[in-house]
Amino acid sequence: MIMSVPNTEEQVSARPVTIRGRRDSKLTASRPLPKIVPDRRKYRRVTVSLQGRFMSEDKQDYPCEVINMSAGGMALLAPISCAPGERIVAYLENFGRLEGIVVRSVEGGFAVEIQVSMQKRERIANLLTWYANLEIGAEERQHERVAPRIAAQKLILPNGDVHDCRVLDVSLSGASIATAVKPPLNTVVVLGRPRGRVVRHHDQGIAIQFAELQDPDSLARTFG
């Protein structure tokens, strides 16, 4: 069951949640974690470890690690400092492209106010709530796969061809489908609404990894 996001943001202190990913040792080996001053916003802030890259106003690209995040803002560890008021564009694993404005400097990085559409903001909140409700152990976990109620879908190939297919199982990160066509590995396709790439062939068809982690609500609307 997905819990609703509280109206008041507060630091998560009882049990930090870690979103696991590739870790850039240059960012985390010697830098202490930034201390975010507690404040009152309408979104809950969650402790994460989220790898990505960001582009500053001078169009330079840098690695970063988001160490806490809400639907309204995030704190980044980065190899450079950005001044308050500077606009950045971040590309984060599972969350995709996020625009924002730097609001203050913190130790080892800076804090950003996220500026996205309300639909995108709700998706971020849903994903963070979903992660916060998981019991995450020390080992890496696979996202749970389920058989969809709406199995009949359309598979769209890069050349625009549309093929009927049947979804065998689906998760927040990907799907296995039965289809007569088997595009080459790494081919970008669209399944229903989510976009992804072919990562495996099997006897009945193909497996797809979504380009972005799907939030549970949008996944339910597409696949039931």
Side-chain angles (χ1 to χ4, degrees):
M1 177 179 295
I2 301 300
M3 297 173 59
S4 61
V5 180
N7 290 328
T8 303
E9 176 184 281
E10 57 186 9
Q11 291 291 90
V12 177
S13 58
R15 187 177 184 182
V17 175
T18 299
I19 298 178
R20 298 181 182 279
R22 298 183 302 276
R23 184 172 293 277
D24 190 327
S25 59
K26 293 182 180 180
L27 292 180
T28 58
S30 58
R31 292 185 182 276
L33 292 179
K35 296 180 179 179
I36 305 299
V37 177
D39 52 7
R40 291 186 175 274
R41 299 187 182 92
K42 61 180 178 179
Y43 299 109
R44 178 184 178 187
R45 188 173 292 271
V46 177
T47 299
V48 298
S49 177
L50 189 62
Q51 304 301 312
R53 304 190 68 83
F54 76 93
M55 184 171 63
S56 57
E57 282 189 348
D58 61 6
K59 306 302 181 183
Q60 296 298 309
D61 183 73
Y62 302 96
C64 65
E65 179 185 3
V66 176
I67 51 89
N68 65 55
M69 185 177 185
S70 76
M74 56 187 175
L76 289 78
L77 290 175
I80 67 163
S81 297
C82 290
E86 184 173 351
R87 182 175 295 275
I88 70 159
V89 178
Y91 298 86
L92 307 177
E93 59 183 1
N94 299 330
F95 287 81
R97 183 180 187 274
L98 298 176
E99 295 186 26
I101 294 180
V102 177
V103 293
R104 62 181 178 274
S105 297
V106 296
E107 189 175 3
F110 50 90
V112 174
E113 177 186 327
I114 297 174
Q115 296 193 327
V116 294
S117 67
M118 183 56 64
Q119 182 180 7
K120 180 79 169 182
R121 202 179 301 278
E122 289 176 356
R123 178 179 179 275
I124 294 171
N126 286 340
L127 280 174
L128 291 174
T129 302
W130 184 82
Y131 277 116
N133 286 322
L134 281 179
E135 291 184 3
I136 298 180
E139 73 284 353
E140 196 74 30
R141 291 181 55 158
Q142 297 295 323
H143 299 123
E144 181 183 3
R145 290 186 174 271
V146 297
R149 290 191 299 107
I150 308 173
Q153 296 289 340
K154 300 292 185 181
L155 179 69
I156 306 175
L157 303 184
N159 62 3
D161 288 350
V162 180
H163 299 269
D164 291 328
C165 66
R166 180 167 54 89
V167 179
L168 302 174
D169 59 60
V170 65
S171 74
L172 299 186
S173 58
S176 176
I177 66 174
T179 175
V181 297
K182 293 187 177 182
L185 297 182
N186 293 317
T187 299
V188 176
V189 298
V190 175
L191 176 64
R193 294 180 182 178
R195 181 171 60 89
R197 63 184 180 90
V198 179
V199 293
R200 184 169 57 87
H201 293 162
H202 54 72
D203 291 343
Q204 298 184 67
I206 59 176
I208 297 171
Q209 179 181 340
F210 296 141
E212 293 185 2
L213 200 67
Q214 303 297 299
D215 74 77
D217 289 345
S218 64
L219 204 67
R221 286 193 295 269
T222 302
F223 300 102

